[in-house]
Amino acid sequence: MALLILAPFVGFLINGVRYKKHSANVAGVIATSAIAISFISAILLVLDVVAMPAESRKIAVSFFEWMAVDKFKVNAGFVVDQISSIMILVITGVGTLIHLFSIGYMHHDKGAAKYFAYLNLFIFNMLLLVLGDSLLVMFVGWEGVGLCSYLLIGFWFTDKEKAAAGMKAFITNRVGDAAFLLGMFILFITFGTLNFSELNALAPTTAEASWLGAVTLGTLFLFIGATGKSAQIPLYVWLPDAMAGPTPVSALIHAATMVTAGVYMIVRLNPLFIMAPNTMMVIAIIGAATAVLAATIGMTQWDIKKVLAYSTVSQLGYMFLACGVGAFGAAMFHLMTHAFFKALMFLGSGSVIHAMHEEQDIRKMGGLKKYMPITHVTFFLGWVAIIGMPPFAGFFSKDEILAYTFNSPLGSPILWAMGALGATLTAFYMTRLMALTFWGKSRVPSDVHPHESPALMTIPLIVLGILSVIGGWIGIPHVIGEHLGHLPNVWEHWLHPMISPIPGWTAIDHTTEWTLMGVSVGLALISAIVAYQFYVKSPETPKKIADSIKPVYNLVYNKYFVDEAYFGFIINPLVSISKNTWYYIDVNFIDKATYLAGDLARGMGSFVRSIQTGNMQQYAMYIGIGVVVALSFVIMR
Amino acid sequence: MNTDFINNIGLTHYLVLAALLFMMGMAGVLLRRNVIVLLMSVELMLNSVNLTFIAFSKYLGILDGHIMVFFVMTIAAAEAAVGLALAVSIFKRFNEVNIRFFEHLKG
């Protein structure tokens, strides 16, 4: 396990120390092999875990005692169990592919070694995050990935806008992290430990009804932390801006790993969360609202990566919706399948951007199918996966979430309707993206000659494409599995011991489940066909519709003015308060007081200094005066 | 010639004279600019002290004051040698012996 964690760190050191000397290829190979070593050790570890008996699958290692203050003891402990084994496979597996892709993508970049160093450091921190056996170790990784995210988003820091995007991500995450810390404090005060297994064992057995109970408050704060990292309302604003970074970064951080940290944390602590129904309700509502809101914004964006970014926000909303209704397994499932197809699509968009010479505006694309067959096919697979067509990966995870949302005592048909609406919108904007990028007439400027990317970039695409197709088959719901000759739901069996049952859960009846599936697939299908009609057959229609609902369109196009609202109501007042405090208290009071003290000392000094003229006669006079004074003192006494 | 007044000269007269000499010497040291004159004024002050020593010695009938005077004279001679050396070097540098040039010695 040490190898698993340390390999990326060593890679980071090698590339980081010599970042000016290594060329892109050397650095890329070092970094990629570091992650590949991690991936192999992760596989070996997971195989060990699989070999264990179902009820006690766990490898726990404690490297050293990190700190011990009174009752507060934390070990640098790491644990591989059912939940974290999924995560390490996804992180190192998808990570390896993305590293591979990066070698091709960052080929021309001068700072490539630095880039790979950051990427390795990110993987290292992400592994800390998911393997940590206590909230505190997790928090170290949590902060670490935040830092790397900042470094990588602002990687092209000479561009002011990109640097600003990095800072925005960092600061938005800090807001969430503050809440995460508060949550940790509350849980520690209540339970006296931050260790996951101890916390889960100590979780109350009856639901906590009040809003101000320790568990509810603690989990709420942790959830706010999760909204920061996982880009949910109200802290989602950083993720679309984060697209300023290199595209493989978007794929790695903003699709497959870091943004899922919040979901992962909630799943880790699911026995605690499930005992706080109020928190669960908040999570479900926020999740569903984010899923719909981000999807609507995604429908209007022109930047290929921004569309995907809002799609990510929306899909993360699904995961939180699943958490909120108690379907933690489904959340993890969607996390994994989403990692596959979203990483695929981001890398695909990277391939497109590469081919288009850094052009990201889909209005200037179209018809790329002809030039980039591999990218097109893989992107196509990602597209059918994300809009939830059976039997692709996204279908299973999304429909499991929707079924749970409908049936769970914590869910409701309204939340289900929001989820289905989200799925419909997703199908629409993803089809729009496909149509505008790959299909229809070419709108490529004549001086750009799109070409297929090198093999280094297409191989990861192909692997991820295959995963997007088959990734969902390990979680086939019973209702389908039975008809296909009793295929087992591997996923559910695997996670079962780690997931708390939903109180008051009654098994969903098969007719309902079939209906739900049919409805969501049908809606997605119709929506996709409509979008196809709009953007391929009659490209004029969307513009007409947009014009006919101009105010609404503008509202959505400008992302509901959320950024502007933040500036107006939070950031600007804060800035002006700080400015006033600085001016009136610091400059006018504190500074002046210290200047006064300084001036006093200097004034006295300059008086004494004026005596030192070097004029010997003056000195003699002082001596004379001194003698007279001393003598008269002696005589008069 | 009536020499009575000589016999009437007491300690007070000597001391007053010494004080006057000292004041004149000190005024010279404080006010004059010429280093040579300054040295002479210092001699004047030293001599006024010598006079005081002698006067007290005579008045008290002991020899200690005389001995002191020899010491003072020795030191005065040494001091004059040092002072003149300084004066000469200043003159060499500035072609003048104004005390103001010593201000350059300021740290």
Side-chain angles (χ1 to χ4, degrees):
Chain A
M1 186 186 286
L3 190 65
L4 166 67
I5 298 174
L6 287 179
F9 191 66
V10 172
F12 155 68
L13 286 181
I14 294 174
N15 274 332
V17 170
R18 297 172 55 82
Y19 76 93
K20 280 185 179 148
K21 304 228 170 95
H22 285 171
S23 70
N25 288 339
V26 177
V29 169
I30 293 173
T32 310
S33 35
I35 307 300
I37 292 170
S38 270
F39 182 48
I40 293 164
S41 40
I43 292 176
L44 295 177
L45 267 175
V46 173
L47 287 179
D48 283 353
V49 173
V50 172
M52 293 177 175
E55 296 305 314
S56 59
R57 281 184 174 135
K58 189 175 180 182
I59 300 176
V61 180
S62 177
F63 286 131
F64 54 90
E65 188 175 60
W66 180 14
M67 51 174 105
V69 183
D70 195 21
K71 277 186 296 175
F72 180 68
K73 285 193 177 57
V74 179
N75 289 332
F78 300 97
V79 58
V80 180
D81 59 8
Q82 287 94 328
I83 303 175
S84 52
S85 57
I86 298 162
M87 291 300 284
I88 55 177
L89 287 180
V90 170
I91 292 164
T92 54
V94 177
T96 310
L97 293 173
I98 291 171
H99 274 68
L100 205 59
F101 184 91
S102 296
I103 300 178
Y105 192 81
M106 299 300 285
H107 190 69
H108 306 298
D109 203 286
K110 282 203 180 89
K114 194 168 71 176
Y115 166 83
F116 280 109
Y118 289 161
L119 219 52
N120 273 359
L121 183 66
F122 173 82
I123 296 277
F124 166 70
N125 279 310
M126 193 66 204
L127 288 171
L128 282 188
L129 196 163
V130 298
L131 288 172
D133 71 346
S134 69
L135 269 172
L136 207 63
V137 179
M138 178 187 241
F139 191 67
V140 175
W142 189 276
E143 290 296 311
V145 292
L147 168 72
C148 294
S149 173
Y150 162 73
L151 292 173
L152 285 165
I153 295 169
F155 181 71
W156 288 313
F157 57 84
T158 44
D159 184 334
K160 228 176 198 171
E161 207 175 303
K162 289 171 180 172
M167 282 189 261
K168 187 174 180 184
F170 195 70
I171 291 165
T172 315
N173 268 302
R174 289 289 81 64
V175 177
D177 293 343
F180 192 104
L181 274 174
L182 284 176
M184 277 210 285
F185 293 150
I186 292 172
L187 290 183
F188 182 75
I189 291 168
T190 316
F191 297 111
T193 177
L194 289 175
N195 188 290
F196 287 126
S197 52
E198 287 171 35
L199 273 178
N200 285 341
L202 287 168
T205 47
T206 48
E208 191 178 82
S210 95
W211 275 96
L212 294 172
V215 179
T216 309
L217 269 185
T219 49
L220 260 182
F221 275 121
L222 286 181
F223 171 64
I224 297 173
T227 62
K229 197 107 307 183
S230 295
Q232 295 295 294
I233 295 172
L235 297 177
Y236 71 89
V237 288
W238 65 269
L239 203 144
D241 284 35
M243 296 304 125
T247 306
V249 169
S250 308
L252 179 64
I253 302 186
H254 309 122
T257 54
M258 176 178 121
V259 289
T260 59
V263 181
Y264 170 76
M265 185 262 295
I266 291 175
V267 175
R268 258 256 169 264
L269 286 171
N270 68 76
L272 215 53
F273 274 83
I274 199 118
M275 287 309 152
N278 287 327
T279 310
M280 296 294 275
M281 187 178 77
V282 172
I283 297 176
I285 292 170
I286 295 276
T290 310
V292 174
L293 183 94
T296 55
I297 301 176
M299 286 169 62
T300 59
Q301 297 301 308
W302 293 116
D303 183 318
I304 183 169
K305 282 173 77 182
K306 286 250 165 93
V307 176
L308 292 174
Y310 280 106
S311 163
T312 305
V313 174
S314 168
Q315 297 298 315
L316 287 163
Y318 271 107
M319 296 176 211
F320 279 103
L321 174 62
C323 288
V325 297
F328 299 105
M332 280 305 280
F333 191 23
H334 197 56
L335 188 161
M336 187 191 74
T337 56
H338 175 255
F340 295 152
F341 56 71
K342 191 49 70 59
L344 163 66
M345 295 173 92
F346 265 118
L347 291 183
S349 76
S351 176
V352 170
I353 293 166
H354 196 70
M356 297 288 295
H357 305 293
E358 311 305 318
E359 178 60 71
Q360 305 196 359
D361 193 331
I362 48 178
R363 279 172 296 194
K364 293 182 186 157
M365 296 177 187
L368 290 180
K369 182 179 165 186
K370 201 166 51 185
Y371 305 102
M372 319 181 63
I374 302 176
T375 308
H376 168 246
V377 168
T378 51
F379 210 96
F380 183 86
L381 295 175
W383 168 64
V384 273
I386 197 174
I387 67 173
M389 287 298 128
F392 293 88
F395 163 74
F396 298 104
S397 50
K398 190 180 287 181
D399 277 286
E400 195 174 337
I401 291 174
L402 291 177
Y404 269 100
T405 309
F406 190 81
N407 196 46
S408 164
L410 293 165
S412 71
I414 298 171
L415 287 173
W416 174 84
M418 286 173 82
L421 175 63
T424 316
L425 296 175
T426 305
F428 185 86
Y429 67 75
M430 288 316 299
T431 314
R432 169 178 176 268
L433 185 66
M434 278 304 284
L436 289 176
T437 313
F438 291 106
W439 302 335
K441 271 196 227 111
S442 173
R443 293 176 304 282
V444 181
S446 53
D447 56 330
V448 178
H449 304 288
H451 54 87
E452 183 58 274
S453 302
L456 264 180
M457 290 163 76
T458 49
I459 290 168
L461 286 177
I462 294 166
V463 177
L464 283 170
I466 295 167
L467 284 172
S468 301
V469 179
I470 63 168
W473 294 354
I474 54 170
I476 297 170
H478 295 296
V479 65
I480 298 178
E482 276 170 22
H483 288 274
L484 296 171
H486 294 281
L487 287 177
N489 188 338
V490 182
W491 186 267
E492 205 180 291
H493 288 300
W494 174 252
L495 277 180
H496 183 69
M498 300 300 291
I499 303 295
S500 299
I502 304 170
W505 168 260
T506 45
I508 186 163
D509 80 84
H510 287 182
T511 342
T512 322
E513 196 169 350
W514 280 115
T515 319
L516 292 177
M517 267 180 215
V519 170
S520 66
V521 171
L523 280 175
L525 208 57
I526 293 167
S527 160
I529 291 168
V530 170
Y532 185 79
Q533 287 293 333
F534 274 13
Y535 288 96
V536 180
K537 299 287 175 202
S538 56
E540 301 307 312
T541 329
K543 200 166 180 318
K544 272 185 216 149
I545 295 177
D547 284 339
S548 67
I549 49 162
K550 200 84 192 162
V552 181
Y553 180 81
N554 277 341
L555 178 69
V556 179
Y557 180 69
N558 289 306
K559 304 149 203 165
Y560 298 101
F561 297 101
V562 171
D563 277 330
E564 285 77 0
Y566 278 168
F567 267 101
F569 294 113
I570 299 173
I571 299 171
N572 288 344
L574 259 180
V575 167
S576 68
I577 288 172
S578 318
K579 222 174 214 169
N580 286 330
T581 319
W582 167 69
Y583 187 73
Y584 289 109
I585 296 189
D586 200 46
V587 173
N588 276 346
F589 180 69
I590 297 176
D591 281 5
K592 280 199 175 155
T594 49
Y595 286 155
L596 208 65
D599 284 348
L600 198 67
R602 208 166 45 191
M604 287 185 349
S606 69
F607 169 71
V608 178
R609 193 172 54 189
S610 70
I611 295 172
Q612 297 259 348
T613 53
N615 184 336
M616 284 187 18
Q617 287 175 312
Q618 248 178 48
Y619 294 169
M621 191 179 77
Y622 298 143
I623 296 171
I625 293 171
V627 169
V628 169
V629 170
L631 279 179
S632 28
F633 183 72
V634 172
I635 293 165
M636 299 296 177
R637 191 161 56 116
Chain B
M1 190 170 165
N2 187 1
T3 55
D4 274 357
F5 73 99
I6 294 176
N7 297 328
N8 289 337
I9 292 173
L11 179 66
T12 320
H13 297 98
Y14 286 107
L15 291 183
V16 169
L17 176 63
L20 284 174
L21 280 174
F22 190 86
M23 296 297 278
M24 286 157 77
M26 191 156 134
V29 167
L30 292 184
L31 300 176
R32 296 304 295 263
R33 294 287 143 103
N34 192 315
V35 177
I36 307 292
V37 178
L38 235 73
L39 285 172
M40 281 156 55
S41 303
V42 170
E43 295 301 318
L44 210 54
M45 284 159 77
L46 290 170
N47 276 325
S48 82
V49 173
N50 282 349
L51 186 58
T52 320
F53 273 125
I54 299 291
F56 276 114
S57 188
K58 173 91 170 126
Y59 180 75
L60 294 171
I62 46 174
L63 277 175
D64 300 16
H66 293 83
I67 296 162
M68 279 300 171
V69 167
F70 285 115
F71 278 118
V72 171
M73 284 163 84
T74 321
I75 290 168
E79 176 244 291
V82 173
L84 280 172
L86 284 173
V88 167
S89 78
I90 281 192
F91 183 79
K92 272 186 170 169
R93 192 157 153 64
F94 298 104
N95 257 338
E96 221 184 311
V97 281
N98 195 320
I99 186 72
R100 284 279 173 219
F101 295 128
F102 276 92
E103 283 176 24
H104 292 285
L105 298 179
K106 174 171 79 168

